[in-house]
Amino acid sequence: SQQGEEDPQALSIQEGENATMNCSYKTSINNLQWYRQNSGRGLVHLILIRSNEREKHSGRLRVTLDTSKKSSSLLITASRAADTASYFCATDSTGTASKLTFGTGTRLQVTL
Amino acid sequence: GAVVSQHPSRVICKSGTSVKIECRSLDFQATTMFWYRQFPKQSLMLMATSNEGSKATYEQGVEKDKFLINHASLTLSTLTVTSAHPEDSSFYICSANRAGALGDTQYFGPGTRLTVL
């Protein structure tokens, strides 16, 4: 399997703190995307970063990409209880347009 | 925004029966759709790529005769789990690929929870 690894597997923080999740992958990529999934629901697309980009921001989200280390991080600043969910990175590889390979996911719990 | 629906949202069936799950792109056409399976507390695993007007492409280890995929129109793909068994119980999620000027984007359906008794 070419599935990526994410760490930590689970993260519990208090509201207002920052949450950082990491993703590592194995093959060359075109893009890396981050998704959120609430329990028992579908996926919500958060942000896409291209292989030639190093950092991207969207609201309280900050994503970095290091292609030399084949890794990415997702930072959620000033977390809220509503951010409680599982977060997955997904990569699409060179030559296989749109076929996504998902990481193992991080379960984030934000408590009041 | 692009919307993808799945039907049914949950289904319970007896072992040995077949179950059909529909995936529809509601406001765009999708020549390519994807079917994923997700077991509890695990990630999504790609099962197959559904291509409109042609045969689906299955990932290694996924039985094509077990999981029948039909993509007869640009807005509908169906996954039929044939002769379902308890080990097929899972969360099945589809996505529809939307082509754009800046590249392709996948939009995910809300998922179908299958429970086989």
Side-chain angles (χ1 to χ4, degrees), chain B residues 13-24:
Chain B
C13 69
K14 292 182 179 179
S15 185
T17 60
S18 294
V19 175
K20 180 186 283 188
I21 303 170
E22 293 184 348
C23 177
R24 293 181 186 272

Side-chain angles (χ1 to χ4, degrees), chain B residues 2 11 19 22 37 50 53 57 62 69-70 75 83 89 103:
Chain B
V11 56
V19 175
E22 293 184 348
R37 181 167 52 183
S50 173
T57 304
V62 178
I69 291 173
N70 185 284
T75 58
S83 186
S89 297

